[in-house]
Amino acid sequence: DKSRLRLPPWLKREIPMGENYAQLKTQLRDLKLATVCEEARCPNIGECWGGGEHGTSTATIMLMGDTCTRGCRFCSIKTARAPPPLNPEEPVNTAIAVAKWGVDYIVLTSVDRDDLPDGGSNHIAATIKELKNRTNILVEALVPDFAGNETCIKTIVNSKLDVFAHNIETVERLTPFVRDRRAHYKQSLKVLKMAKELNPNLITKSSIMLGLGETDEEVETTIRDLRSAGVDALTLGQYMQPTKRHLKVIEYVTPEKFKHWEEFGNTSGFLYTASGPLRQQDEARLPQLVGPEVC
Ligand code: SF4
């Protein structure tokens, strides 16, 4: 397809497959756990699973199955109106598996489950509690918007998690084209604000994808909006088209531009900003933020 942009040199890299990587992969298979790292074919997988450059190893587990009730146009997860029921053993199984890995930081992410009365919030909270009862691992939960439902958000923020993450994904103008129609820019801001107000000890975090046709002014506004919602940690990354049926990449944003956004974030008052074409996450720095002096 000639209309597709060529991959710039800074995005070409080999996926390193170390020993840790192989071990994690086998265990995940055995326990029938899904990871978004693999589902989304994340290029950081080798680094994260292998013990990153800062010596912190991270894994991202996807809860509540591999089928989402929403259909965002940047995401390659399967969609269904009524996905299969939750596995009630998943919270315990996940905690047992993660406790064995020796990772320092775990990101629990999930599909959206608009079909469940609580959006799956109790399931996510149960997983966090099981993990926290067994380990000292720092837990980040990247959660759905729960349609802005306060009870669901309360359930999550009171589960002893360290980092509450919810992604705004893109600027306000592009939201209806990029995210599922049930997702709203202002609703996501509200969810982040509510989480921080309900539990000010939490680190809140959000992420923006670049390369979807947003302007610099729009990115600035989004960053400011996130800060105004009390968000502590900001990450920016390049949007990558997962399949030909998904949104096209409009622009490969240069590493220099990502650096600019990192500086912009840092001067806007975030505790930390990680911005780069490949790294949407920089969990290695988060453990310092969620140490005893913060929580
Ligand atoms: Fe993907 Fe959107 Fe579902 Fe999240 S809510 S898993 S981004 S389709």
Side-chain angles (χ1 to χ4, degrees):
D1 180 351
K2 292 233 172 55
S3 65
R4 289 171 89 193
L5 292 176
R6 282 180 75 99
L7 203 63
W10 63 80
L11 286 172
K12 289 183 185 148
R13 65 185 220 172
E14 280 172 32
I15 300 197
M17 307 286 179
E19 207 177 290
N20 270 358
Y21 173 87
Q23 256 175 23
L24 270 177
K25 207 173 158 87
T26 315
Q27 280 200 19
L28 286 164
R29 289 289 161 285
D30 293 350
L31 287 158
K32 296 190 178 63
L33 296 170
T35 70
V36 75
C37 323
E38 289 182 288
E39 295 281 335
R41 289 185 268 151
C42 175
N44 291 331
I45 191 167
E47 198 172 291
C48 274
W49 288 19
E53 55 196 278
H54 306 280
T56 300
S57 54
T58 300
T60 303
I61 298 283
M62 198 168 64
L63 302 172
M64 308 203 286
D66 62 0
T67 309
C68 186
T69 48
R70 297 196 181 176
C72 299
R73 297 188 61 215
F74 62 87
C75 177
S76 58
I77 302 278
K78 265 184 279 178
T79 300
R81 204 166 294 174
L86 297 179
N87 171 4
E89 282 164 27
E90 186 174 57
V92 172
N93 280 349
T94 303
I96 293 173
V98 173
K100 280 191 202 146
W101 293 344
V103 290
D104 314 292
Y105 195 102
I106 183 93
V107 181
L108 299 174
T109 179
S110 72
V111 291
D112 277 23
R113 292 296 302 255
D114 300 291
D115 58 318
L116 304 172
D118 71 343
S121 54
N122 285 299
H123 190 88
I124 298 171
T127 311
I128 298 166
K129 284 184 193 153
E130 293 288 350
L131 262 165
K132 283 293 186 182
N133 286 341
R134 284 179 170 80
T135 68
N136 295 321
I137 299 170
L138 294 170
V139 180
E140 170 177 331
L142 173 60
V143 297
D145 59 24
F146 300 111
N149 182 302
E150 186 170 346
T151 310
C152 299
I153 295 159
K154 229 182 223 162
T155 305
I156 302 288
V157 303
N158 293 333
S159 67
K160 297 199 208 147
L161 89 164
D162 301 287
V163 180
F164 179 100
H166 172 66
N167 290 343
I168 194 101
E169 313 287 10
T170 187
V171 300
E172 186 164 21
R173 176 179 58 89
L174 295 176
T175 297
F177 308 103
V178 171
R179 301 173 70 189
D180 183 272
R181 64 185 164 78
R182 281 160 286 185
H184 306 286
Y185 181 86
K186 291 212 164 68
Q187 179 163 271
S188 286
L189 289 174
K190 184 180 123 187
V191 167
L192 286 157
K193 189 161 183 258
M194 207 188 273
K196 189 75 190 176
E197 283 170 1
L198 287 167
N199 185 353
N201 291 328
L202 280 177
I203 297 277
T204 52
K205 182 178 172 192
S206 196
S207 183
I208 310 172
M209 298 177 286
L210 299 183
L212 287 158
E214 63 288 334
T215 66
D216 284 1
E217 291 70 33
E218 288 174 317
V219 177
E220 275 182 28
T221 305
T222 308
I223 294 176
R224 285 207 187 93
D225 287 348
L226 288 171
R227 190 66 210 86
S228 303
V231 172
D232 300 302
L234 169 71
T235 68
L236 297 105
Q238 171 69 48
Y239 166 63
M240 301 292 272
Q241 185 183 26
T243 78
K244 280 187 183 154
R245 287 176 294 111
H246 290 83
L247 285 177
K248 281 195 178 142
V249 173
I250 303 292
E251 182 194 1
Y252 285 115
V253 176
T254 62
E256 293 72 35
K257 197 56 185 271
F258 275 108
K259 197 87 218 141
H260 163 80
W261 292 124
E262 185 157 310
E263 279 153 22
F264 186 82
N266 284 332
T267 52
S268 304
F270 291 92
L271 282 178
Y272 102 104
T273 309
S275 171
L278 280 163
R279 291 190 70 86
Q280 285 214 26
Q281 311 251 9
D282 187 8
E283 294 86 359
R285 291 185 53 199
L286 275 171
Q288 296 150 22
L289 299 178
V290 291
E293 59 280 43
V294 182
C295 295

